[in-house]
Amino acid sequence: MSTLHKGILTLIENDTKKSDYVISSKGEKSMKKTRKAAAVLTAVAMATVSAAPVMADEIKDLYDYELQTREIETWNVLYSQLATDLQVLTNLYDGLLESDEYGKLVPAVAESWETEDNGITWTFHLRQGVKWVDQNGNEKGEVTAQDFLTGLEWVLNFHKNDATNTAMPMEMIQGAEDYYNMTSELDADAGLALTAESPEFADTVGIKAIDDYTLQYTCVSEKPYFDTVATYNCLYPISQAMIDEIGIDGFKAATPENIWYNGAYTCTEYIQQNTKTLTKNPLYWDTDAKLFDSVTVKMVESVDTAYQLYTTGEIDRVDLSESNLTTIYNNESDPLHDQLVEKRPTKFSYQFHFNYDKHNDDQSEDTNWNTAIANEAFRKCWYYGLDLGSYYKRTNAINPYKCYNNAYTMQGLVYLSDGTEYTSLVQEKLGLPAYDGETMTRLDSEKFEEYKAQAIEELTAAGVTFPVHARYFVAGGNQTTLDSANVLKQAFSDSFGDDFIVLDIDSYVSSLSKEVRDPRRQSFVINGWGADYGDPQNYLGQETNDGDNAYYMVAYGHAVDNESEELNALYDEFTELVNKADAITDDLDARYEAYADAEAFLLEHALTIPSNFDIGWELTHINDYTKQNAMFGIQNLKYKNWETSTDAYTAEDYAGFQETWNAGSAE
């Protein structure tokens, strides 16, 4: 990464690249003593003078980790849609609202908010005194309502934002799509010259700064869930003064040194593929918040490397690989045995997403795959016959079927007025047996054999040759993902037989989108989707075939490019069901019932297939039950109000945390 820094720019050598740039607002990177070792020495010293028990302290400087395959791609908060970026960026910026540990919306920059017309017009009342600061925490200005207009103009301006993060505002805010289309027709200079104060924006888009601290949105129709959108970065504020200071190109290629911050932390050090250091914002508006003095995120090659760092006290939590978990779990004398903690579900629901227009490496059409996957009987073989139990063990070797997913939408996103959780309604409509915790309840050997025979007969007549090869890509050089892929390959062999469907594992070097997705080389991907806002539309709208905002269909599915009339008729019907549900705004129970009908249709015809939830095990000094816990948005990633301990938590501790959380959530 090439970047200019006011302080020190140091060139370092490593094994994988010729050079990285070390960027630090503090000069040379300071080496910190291992906190755990220091704590042990302190405890020993105290024990020599007193027999009183030593109570664990809260962590002041947190050490976390990420895999090197998940490096941040942009520091521009308005661009990003990736969890790998937002895990950092949500700590640097605050939007209108955030969530509490129970998933309830609470104030952030907005102190209060309301709608008086069932979700057409939304008014947010901003708190005074929210500061913009630079990397070193120096005040740069105050956050006002106008900054939210500046942020939205940037998102919707074709020449500034490269069509990133446009889907939600274009779907929801009056005039947003019109403004985007208008800017796309301008030449670059004319488009870049526009601002939020330009009449082209001010007279078109449904957003107004009533005064410095009152912000109003007008939606295209009734959007009773729009306040959940207010947690997402497409509506974040940006100061025009910052853009004027660093220039449009400067903000496009934002760096930790040139951006302005209004969040809990600033990024004071960034070493690409190595370390990110976040430092508490000294002027942060939420003076009651519990923040770390610093957060250091270390980039590691694998979870096994992270495990070694955890055992030496260099990081404060670690997700456990199958082998590490099994080793510790099976040895009750292991000092880490009692510290094994089963993680809470994340907000992500994972699915198999088929590519209906697969290309070969020479960009010719893979007619064998495309014909096969367009056949419903062939897809239902996957639905009823693919046993993923061994694959689940890669995430949760102790309770693998906790990872079993049988819906598209994530559990806990929305509830009916009688308390019924939405995905349970989907399961009811599918007629599936109740989850028993020990099997994949959708597996049905009789149905599998029936559909296999049907698929072979129909596809042989259509010229398909068997076995059908399914191509699956993993990141090159990542042993963990390769091991998981090999387990998946064996699951295919065991479930389907090598004469029917064979999984071929391939790898990409650096970019899944550029090397695999865009040239359409994959047969399928297993991707996770976490809701951006609190409504099933944000899940099911990704699979429709009627617009550019259907992410999975546009980026991965390409069903409209498959010549199968039967396949496209199914997607037409599914799209109609989704649009029918989205049109219901005055009765949320009826809305969710209609979405459940659409989701059941999607799964009944195996147009996509649920894969798994991410419920693994960890060793940790962090009480996850104190984190923000919404099943939508990006606030769950924020290092704010976390309860921690310099001593590792135990399973017993976590049982108590869960009990306390359950009691609080019921209030």
Side-chain angles (χ1 to χ4, degrees):
M1 183 184 78
S2 180
T3 172
L4 181 65
H5 183 245
K6 297 176 182 178
I8 288 181
L9 190 64
T10 305
L11 193 65
I12 63 172
E13 301 293 329
N14 63 29
D15 294 331
T16 59
K17 296 182 178 181
K18 291 183 178 179
S19 64
D20 283 334
Y21 291 105
V22 179
I23 307 162
S24 176
S25 63
K26 299 177 180 178
E28 294 288 351
K29 182 185 178 185
S30 61
M31 300 300 294
K32 299 179 179 180
K33 293 182 178 179
T34 302
R35 187 174 57 255
K36 308 297 186 302
V40 170
L41 292 173
T42 301
V44 170
M46 293 180 66
T48 63
V49 298
S50 174
V54 179
M55 304 300 293
D57 296 323
E58 289 217 89
I59 293 170
K60 300 297 183 183
D61 297 290
L62 181 76
Y63 289 82
D64 205 351
Y65 80 97
E66 286 186 346
L67 297 179
Q68 289 176 342
T69 55
R70 304 181 68 224
E71 178 61 289
I72 192 168
E73 292 190 5
T74 178
W75 292 91
N76 186 318
V77 69
L78 299 180
Y79 279 160
S80 182
Q81 295 178 286
L82 300 175
T84 51
D85 298 343
L86 295 171
Q87 182 165 342
V88 177
L89 297 176
T90 192
N91 287 285
L92 312 182
Y93 292 88
D94 275 355
L96 292 164
L97 307 176
E98 57 188 25
S99 58
D100 65 11
E101 67 269 36
Y102 304 111
K104 299 175 182 177
L105 291 176
V106 295
V109 176
E111 289 184 304
S112 62
W113 66 100
E114 72 270 353
T115 181
E116 298 178 354
D117 47 16
N118 198 37
I120 294 179
T121 305
W122 288 84
T123 303
F124 295 85
H125 304 278
L126 311 186
R127 66 179 74 248
Q128 299 184 29
V130 178
K131 302 298 184 182
W132 289 112
V133 302
D134 65 14
Q135 182 185 34
N136 298 310
N138 301 312
E139 183 176 344
K140 300 292 290 188
E142 185 177 12
V143 178
T144 67
Q146 187 64 34
D147 296 335
F148 289 88
L149 275 67
T150 298
L152 185 59
E153 194 280 329
W154 184 283
V155 168
L156 296 175
N157 191 312
F158 175 84
H159 296 285
K160 294 178 181 178
N161 203 36
D162 302 324
T164 299
N165 257 335
T166 59
M168 281 189 291
M170 287 170 59
E171 290 173 0
M172 297 184 190
I173 299 174
Q174 188 179 88
E177 186 170 8
D178 293 336
Y179 185 75
Y180 174 82
N181 291 335
M182 184 273 293
T183 61
S184 70
E185 296 173 356
L186 299 175
D187 62 52
D189 290 342
L192 293 173
L194 296 173
T195 70
E197 296 182 348
S198 302
E200 291 90 342
F201 180 85
D203 297 342
T204 302
V205 182
I207 182 173
K208 294 180 180 179
I210 306 299
D211 56 46
D212 283 350
Y213 306 107
T214 309
L215 179 67
Q216 189 174 86
Y217 295 89
T218 302
C219 296
V220 296
S221 61
E222 295 176 335
K223 301 292 182 184
Y225 53 85
F226 184 77
D227 53 350
T228 67
V229 182
T231 68
Y232 203 67
N233 57 310
C234 65
L235 299 186
Y236 271 26
I238 293 294
S239 172
Q240 184 63 45
M242 181 201 70
I243 296 175
D244 293 341
E245 178 179 287
I246 68 176
I248 290 174
D249 289 340
F251 187 46
K252 279 188 172 184
T255 69
E257 299 77 43
N258 67 8
I259 58 176
W260 293 7
Y261 305 77
N262 77 329
Y265 300 89
T266 70
C267 182
T268 52
E269 183 180 68
Y270 173 48
I271 308 173
Q272 191 177 19
Q273 288 290 304
N274 189 304
T275 304
K276 306 176 191 75
T277 299
L278 312 184
T279 300
K280 182 168 63 176
N281 178 357
L283 300 182
Y284 188 49
W285 62 266
D286 192 354
T287 56
D288 294 329
K290 182 188 295 184
L291 303 178
F292 300 105
D293 290 340
S294 69
V295 178
T296 300
V297 181
K298 299 186 177 186
M299 308 301 293
V300 299
E301 295 180 351
S302 67
V303 291
D304 289 330
T305 303
Y307 175 74
Q308 295 302 318
L309 292 176
Y310 181 87
T311 60
T312 57
E314 295 175 68
I315 57 176
D316 293 305
R317 67 162 198 96
V318 64
D319 297 322
L320 293 172
S321 67
E322 181 181 13
S323 60
N324 287 331
L325 173 60
T326 302
T327 298
I328 299 170
Y329 184 81
N330 291 333
N331 182 9
E332 294 186 3
S333 63
D334 191 310
L336 299 176
H337 182 272
D338 292 339
Q339 298 173 17
L340 290 175
V341 171
E342 192 170 39
K343 298 174 64 176
R344 305 179 71 190
T346 68
K347 69 167 191 166
F348 294 97
S349 173
Y350 292 80
Q351 309 91 20
F352 286 80
H353 295 279
F354 297 123
N355 178 10
Y356 293 100
D357 186 39
K358 181 180 177 297
H359 292 180
N360 298 311
D361 290 345
D362 63 1
Q363 285 303 284
S364 61
E365 182 183 351
D366 185 346
T367 55
N368 205 65
W369 168 262
N370 293 342
T371 304
I373 200 61
N375 180 275
E376 183 169 337
F378 182 78
R379 296 193 307 273
K380 284 186 172 181
C381 289
W382 294 56
Y383 186 85
Y384 290 112
L386 182 56
D387 189 341
L388 295 170
S390 58
Y391 185 68
Y392 297 153
K393 288 182 179 180
R394 294 290 300 165
T395 301
N396 193 326
I398 309 305
N399 298 313
Y401 289 100
K402 277 196 173 182
C403 300
Y404 171 47
N405 180 14
N406 216 14
Y408 189 98
T409 303
M410 181 62 197
Q411 294 176 354
L413 181 67
V414 294
Y415 294 81
L416 277 68
S417 61
D418 64 359
T420 300
E421 195 273 326
Y422 166 79
T423 63
S424 67
L425 188 63
V426 175
Q427 302 303 295
E428 181 182 326
K429 292 180 181 293
L430 288 169
L432 291 171
Y435 172 68
D436 62 8
E438 297 180 355
T439 60
M440 293 177 59
T441 56
R442 69 170 179 257
L443 294 181
D444 189 317
S445 59
E446 291 185 6
K447 287 184 177 180
F448 167 69
E449 293 296 339
E450 175 187 341
Y451 285 120
K452 181 178 180 180
Q454 181 182 342
I456 291 174
E457 180 181 356
E458 293 174 352
L459 292 175
T460 299
V464 172
T465 58
F466 292 92
V468 174
H469 286 262
R471 198 176 189 187
Y472 181 65
F473 285 82
V474 298
N478 188 312
Q479 191 61 45
T480 300
T481 57
L482 179 59
D483 290 344
S484 294
N486 282 321
V487 170
L488 186 64
K489 180 179 178 67
Q490 187 61 50
F492 269 66
S493 180
D494 294 340
S495 300
F496 297 142
D498 295 335
D499 61 339
F500 185 44
I501 304 172
V502 174
L503 186 66
D504 296 331
I505 301 172
D506 210 333
S507 62
Y508 61 93
V509 178
S510 59
S511 174
L512 176 66
S513 58
K514 294 179 180 179
E515 298 173 45
V516 179
R517 188 191 73 189
D518 294 347
R520 306 187 185 185
R521 298 168 65 204
Q522 84 286 359
S523 297
F524 68 92
V525 294
I526 301 176
N527 270 13
W529 186 265
D532 301 327
Y533 55 89
D535 191 76
Q537 174 67 24
N538 192 235
Y539 274 91
L540 301 182
Q542 311 308 319
E543 298 286 352
T544 58
N545 68 351
D546 63 345
D548 294 336
N549 294 326
Y551 175 73
Y552 277 123
M553 179 56 69
V554 172
Y556 292 97
H558 312 293
V560 294
D561 296 323
N562 192 294
E563 296 180 355
S564 170
E565 294 181 359
E566 178 187 11
L567 176 68
N568 281 282
L570 288 173
Y571 269 106
D572 287 344
E573 187 171 351
F574 168 71
T575 300
E576 288 179 9
L577 289 170
V578 172
N579 291 338
K580 175 184 176 183
D582 194 37
I584 303 171
T585 59
D586 58 349
D587 184 340
L588 289 183
D589 283 351
R591 179 180 180 89
Y592 299 155
E593 281 275 0
Y595 272 119
D597 287 334
E599 184 161 342
F601 181 91
L602 181 77
L603 302 181
E604 181 182 6
H605 296 281
L607 296 172
T608 187
I609 296 177
S611 172
N612 63 285
F613 299 128
D614 182 13
I615 307 177
W617 289 71
E618 64 180 344
L619 302 168
T620 186
H621 293 249
I622 301 158
N623 177 0
D624 285 348
Y625 287 91
T626 59
K627 295 180 178 181
Q628 297 185 33
N629 190 50
M631 288 296 148
F632 55 84
I634 61 177
Q635 306 304 316
N636 295 8
L637 306 173
K638 189 171 291 185
Y639 297 109
K640 180 177 177 180
N641 294 329
W642 289 13
E643 179 182 305
T644 60
S645 171
T646 53
D647 292 339
Y649 290 121
T650 66
E652 184 179 359
D653 292 331
Y654 255 64
F657 298 155
Q658 183 178 14
E659 184 178 353
T660 300
W661 187 90
N662 288 341
S665 65
E667 295 179 356

